[in-house]
Amino acid sequence: MGDACGLGPELLLRSAAGNILPHTYVLFGDLEVLEFAREKLNLNLDLHPVASVKDAKPKRLNVFDCRELNRTDVTVGKISAKAGAAAVKYVEIATEHALEEKIDAVATLPINKAASRHSFPNFQGHTEFIADMCGVSDYVLSLVAPKLIVTHVSTHVSLKEAVNLVKRERVLSVLQMTHSAAKKLFPRARIAVAGLNPHAGEDGAFGNDEIEDIAPAIREAQRLGIDACGPIAPDTLFMKALAGDFDAVVCMYHDQGHIPMKLHGFHETVNVTLGLPIVRTSVDHGTGFDIAYKGIASTRNFSCAFNLAAKLASSK
């Protein structure tokens, strides 16, 4: 359900009311919060509590009541430590169900990291939390749009730390996971790899990362049969990718991939965690405290995340 004080409950209810969630699904959240949101948004929608996901029925909003919050705990548009802790709990319960194969995929709505850190001081985000629950250390944050996949060698770390993570072994691992994902979504899996430095280092003039780590990883990926090329200067790479030259781009750090992808297709771009034993997707936007519970937020990104989760689950 995401943070109860943000867009999560609203997006779920309005999506259900609009019949844009075509598969059988279960919402992990709080029944009282959803009832409050339904009243606030003036929606004519039935909520169906289920004691077990086995009781879920198609074409209805099945609610697994986690009983973390009641309606008086909702401080719309404001950071709440209690709501932040509950948001993490929803993710934990849903992930446990996925690991036990009681559900086929998980689609998450936004958490406010500042709110969650009141109870979980080291909380970095959904991606890291779910990967830790799955016992996975080698995973990849990817952004999936209709015509392009972008993956990241590093994500929620400082830029200084991100530079230190650009190593041959990690770049190769990301290339392999990117190739696996791209094959499921595109007829071909043509992958471009961005350089870390301006002009992709320009033959060592602006750094040796491309020579020592990125290029060797690309050569090894090619030896393994992966259609990869680069390193390519980051300032021109996305122009080529969006023109149709590539199906996927491997980026070296968070903003190198996130900024162009959000400019390209903010509403269609979905966050997918690769390398997990479960299918997990997420909206690629925040909690939207400034517009929560006003009925004006677009449900389009959540619909994309939800349907991509179903598609990846089917291919798995």
Side-chain angles (χ1 to χ4, degrees):
M1 190 179 78
D3 192 300
C5 303
L7 287 174
E10 173 186 339
L11 295 180
L12 283 161
L13 292 179
R14 288 175 51 217
S15 296
N19 295 315
I20 62 173
L21 306 179
H23 306 277
T24 302
Y25 60 97
V26 179
L27 164 63
F28 293 88
D30 283 303
L31 184 61
E32 275 204 36
V33 172
L34 291 170
E35 290 173 340
F36 168 80
R38 179 180 59 184
E39 294 167 12
K40 188 97 172 160
L41 295 162
N42 194 29
L43 291 173
N44 183 20
L45 176 69
D46 292 327
L47 307 177
H48 298 273
V50 294
S52 166
V53 296
K54 292 180 181 179
D55 300 326
K57 298 290 191 300
K59 298 182 180 180
R60 75 178 196 183
L61 179 52
N62 303 285
V63 182
F64 188 97
D65 190 0
C66 298
R67 305 190 181 200
E68 294 290 318
L69 304 173
N70 57 49
R71 62 173 59 216
T72 60
D73 294 317
V74 183
T75 55
V76 175
K78 297 179 182 178
I79 287 179
S80 161
K82 194 168 185 179
V88 176
K89 191 66 177 179
Y90 309 147
V91 177
E92 180 181 11
I93 296 171
T95 302
E96 287 171 349
H97 276 70
L99 287 169
E100 293 168 4
E101 298 185 347
K102 295 177 180 177
I103 56 178
D104 299 307
V106 178
T108 56
L109 280 148
I111 282 180
N112 184 282
K113 295 181 181 65
S116 295
R117 283 189 188 125
H118 282 285
S119 302
F120 302 90
N122 297 319
F123 185 79
Q124 292 178 284
H126 288 96
T127 303
E128 294 81 3
F129 182 81
I130 294 173
D132 185 61
M133 281 195 67
C134 293
V136 172
S137 59
D138 195 17
Y139 57 90
V140 174
L141 169 64
S142 68
L143 300 177
V144 178
K147 296 182 179 180
L148 186 66
I149 295 176
V150 169
T151 56
H152 302 75
V153 170
S154 66
T155 50
H156 299 131
V157 296
S158 71
L159 189 55
K160 185 176 182 179
E161 186 178 348
V163 170
N164 293 329
L165 292 173
V166 179
K167 300 300 180 186
R168 183 184 311 191
E169 295 78 11
R170 172 63 177 168
V171 175
L172 177 59
S173 176
V174 173
L175 267 164
Q176 290 173 305
M177 284 185 264
T178 304
H179 174 69
S180 178
K183 285 198 303 181
K184 296 177 182 177
L185 298 172
F186 300 108
R188 297 172 63 185
R190 302 164 299 167
I191 305 172
V193 182
L196 172 65
N197 298 296
H199 304 179
E202 202 162 302
D203 296 321
F206 308 127
N208 293 319
D209 305 272
E210 287 78 10
I211 296 170
E212 295 175 358
D213 290 291
I214 301 173
I218 295 169
R219 289 194 293 270
E220 178 61 17
Q222 292 169 340
R223 191 186 68 80
L224 295 172
I226 295 173
D227 185 355
C229 68
I232 300 173
D235 58 352
T236 59
L237 175 50
F238 276 90
M239 180 180 66
K240 297 175 181 178
L242 294 173
D245 291 351
F246 307 109
D247 302 304
V249 176
V250 174
C251 294
M252 295 300 115
Y253 56 91
H254 184 282
D255 284 8
Q256 191 180 58
H258 273 65
I259 292 173
M261 285 297 278
K262 289 191 176 184
L263 282 170
H264 165 59
F266 183 79
H267 293 295
E268 294 83 16
T269 300
V270 176
N271 183 321
V272 183
T273 309
L274 307 180
L276 301 179
I278 66 173
V279 173
R280 179 261 170 163
T281 69
S282 177
V283 294
D284 193 37
H285 59 72
T287 46
F289 280 171
D290 57 327
I291 58 172
Y293 290 78
K294 294 181 180 179
I296 60 175
S298 172
T299 59
R300 192 170 172 185
N301 194 236
F302 175 54
S303 176
C304 290
F306 181 91
N307 288 303
L308 181 59
K311 182 176 182 179
L312 292 173
S314 297
S315 68
K316 183 182 179 184

